[in-house]
């Protein structure tokens, strides 16, 4: 066994690439991400990232989820930290999110949905896709696949776009 391992050249581990997908609500980006992961034999991660952050940081899932995609006021965070005895702010969220995304990229073979993964990894680490679609088609998609009325679909899309834009702007200081 020792001789065999000495004769075989050491091949370093090269992780499979990571793919990040950012998308507009109603653009069918989540569906595309699922299909892509299936085709590549990759794992698709979405809300699972929040769970990983919760476990690695030791903070309550509820607190982490409440910081995700939208931000609470500093006063709200201060009051909650006084009540729970735990302090967890936006910087903590970003630090743990970055740690999880970078760990995933080291392992590879993942399609990561949203969470600013493309911005955390940068252009040199991974393949990044942005799925966009005209508002009319996005409304049609939500009406068709989520059984919503057109007015309700438009409201959901506009709210989602605002939340995602605010998240990216506040966390990464860039415009979507």
């Amino acid at each position: 066994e020792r001789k065999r391992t000495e004769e075989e050249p050491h091949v370093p581990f090269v992780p499979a690439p990571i793919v990040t997908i950012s998308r507009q609500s109603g653009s069918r980006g989540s569906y595309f991400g699922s299909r892509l992961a299936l085709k590549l034999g990759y794992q698709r991660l979405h809300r699972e990232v929040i769970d990983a952050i919760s476990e690695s940081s030791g903070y309550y899932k509820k607190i982490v989820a409440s910081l995700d995609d939208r931000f609470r006021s500093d006063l709200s965070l201060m009051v909650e930290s006084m009540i729970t005895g735990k302090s967890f702010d936006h910087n903590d969220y970003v630090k743990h999110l970055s740690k999880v995304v970078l760990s995933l990229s080291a392992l590879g073979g993942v399609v990561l949905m949203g969470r600013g993964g493309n911005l955390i990894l940068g252009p040199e680490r991974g393949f990044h896709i942005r799925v966009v679609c005209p508002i009319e088609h996005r409304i049609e998609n939500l009406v068709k696949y989520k059984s919503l009325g057109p007015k309700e679909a438009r409201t959901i899309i506009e709210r989602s776009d605002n939340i995602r834009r605010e998240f990216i702007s506040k966390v990464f200081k860039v415009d979507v």
Side-chain angles (χ1 to χ4, degrees):
E1 183 69 23
R2 188 178 304 145
K3 186 174 182 173
R4 187 170 62 98
T5 56
E6 289 172 2
E7 292 171 0
E8 293 176 6
H10 175 69
V11 180
F13 171 73
V14 178
I18 185 171
V19 178
T20 67
I21 299 179
S22 69
R23 72 250 182 253
Q24 294 176 314
S25 181
S27 67
R28 307 270 298 154
S30 291
Y31 174 75
F32 172 75
S34 295
R35 299 289 301 172
L36 180 63
L38 187 64
K39 185 84 170 167
L40 295 173
Y42 281 18
Q43 184 175 1
R44 178 185 172 272
L45 297 176
H46 184 86
R47 292 282 177 201
E48 296 88 352
V49 174
I50 295 175
D51 294 339
I53 295 169
S54 300
E55 288 175 26
S56 72
S57 68
Y59 292 99
Y60 298 111
K61 183 177 178 178
K62 179 181 144 210
I63 296 171
V64 176
S66 72
L67 287 170
D68 184 49
D69 284 346
R70 59 183 158 68
F71 284 82
R72 298 176 301 159
S73 71
D74 291 335
L75 178 62
S76 171
L77 288 170
M78 184 178 74
V79 169
E80 186 160 335
S81 72
M82 287 171 29
I83 292 170
T84 63
K86 294 184 184 247
S87 176
F88 192 82
D89 65 11
H90 310 178
N91 294 328
D92 293 321
Y93 173 78
V94 174
K95 182 175 81 177
H96 290 290
L97 175 65
S98 297
K99 190 186 302 184
V100 169
V101 170
L102 290 169
S103 296
L104 292 172
S105 75
L107 295 173
V110 171
V111 174
L112 179 64
M113 305 300 298
R115 305 292 172 264
N118 57 326
L119 298 167
I120 293 169
L121 296 173
E124 64 282 346
R125 289 174 126 174
F127 185 77
H128 312 296
I129 300 168
R130 172 83 175 151
V131 181
V132 298
C133 189
I135 187 82
E136 297 79 22
H137 295 309
R138 294 164 61 199
I139 292 170
E140 288 173 16
N141 286 335
L142 288 187
V143 167
K144 182 176 180 180
Y145 297 107
K146 301 286 185 182
S147 301
L148 301 172
K151 201 173 199 175
E152 185 182 12
R154 179 180 291 277
T155 301
I156 288 171
I157 287 169
E158 289 171 353
R159 185 179 314 127
S160 174
D161 286 353
N162 287 335
I163 288 170
R164 289 175 179 182
R165 189 174 23 258
E166 181 182 346
F167 173 76
I168 295 298
S169 174
K170 285 190 176 188
V171 171
F172 301 104
K173 311 287 188 250
V174 297
D175 184 349
V176 171

